Amino acid sequence: MDGVRVNCVAPGPSESETLARSWLTEEDVIRVKQDQASRIPLGRRGEPQEVTSWIVRFADPTATWLTGQVLTIDGGLELTPQTAMRLLDSAPVAMTARAAAVRCR
């Protein structure tokens, strides 16, 4: 098909009502959010507008050369040392990911 572009946004933990609407108690929600923030190199959960701004950029009609991409927006969570070590076992690009993860510490 001509003109069809397929891209994906993969957000990390972001502020929303999802946890509050779950079966978790308010204390559990706070604990989950703190745990997630402690594992994110930028030290916090994302805000919805930090994700939506990239969705808008992907949908921009002038982005015609952009296709087949997955953009991870997670404050560096994917590049934590634990994730980088898993990548080392599965991809040749992992050395770059590991170097980036070490810099994030």
Side-chain angles (χ1 to χ4, degrees), residues 33-63:
K33 288 182 174 186
Q34 288 172 340
D35 177 61
Q36 289 174 338
S38 72
R39 292 183 289 123
I40 298 170
L42 291 182
R44 63 180 178 79
R45 293 164 45 92
E47 294 295 330
Q49 64 273 17
E50 293 173 307
V51 176
T52 58
S53 66
W54 284 101
I55 294 171
V56 169
R57 289 180 188 142
F58 266 10
D60 188 313
T62 64

Side-chain angles (χ1 to χ4, degrees), residues 26-102:
E26 188 174 336
E27 293 79 22
D28 287 338
V29 169
I30 291 168
R31 226 180 342 262
V32 166
K33 288 182 174 186
Q34 288 172 340
D35 177 61
Q36 289 174 338
S38 72
R39 292 183 289 123
I40 298 170
L42 291 182
R44 63 180 178 79
R45 293 164 45 92
E47 294 295 330
Q49 64 273 17
E50 293 173 307
V51 176
T52 58
S53 66
W54 284 101
I55 294 171
V56 169
R57 289 180 188 142
F58 266 10
D60 188 313
T62 64
T64 57
W65 192 241
L66 179 67
T67 192
Q69 300 303 306
V70 176
L71 177 62
T72 302
I73 306 169
D74 66 1
L77 181 61
E78 187 174 301
L79 292 178
T80 60
Q82 295 82 8
T83 306
M85 293 309 288
R86 274 184 274 155
L87 288 172
L88 280 174
D89 295 331
S90 61
V93 206
M95 292 304 286
T96 305
R98 182 174 187 210
V102 171

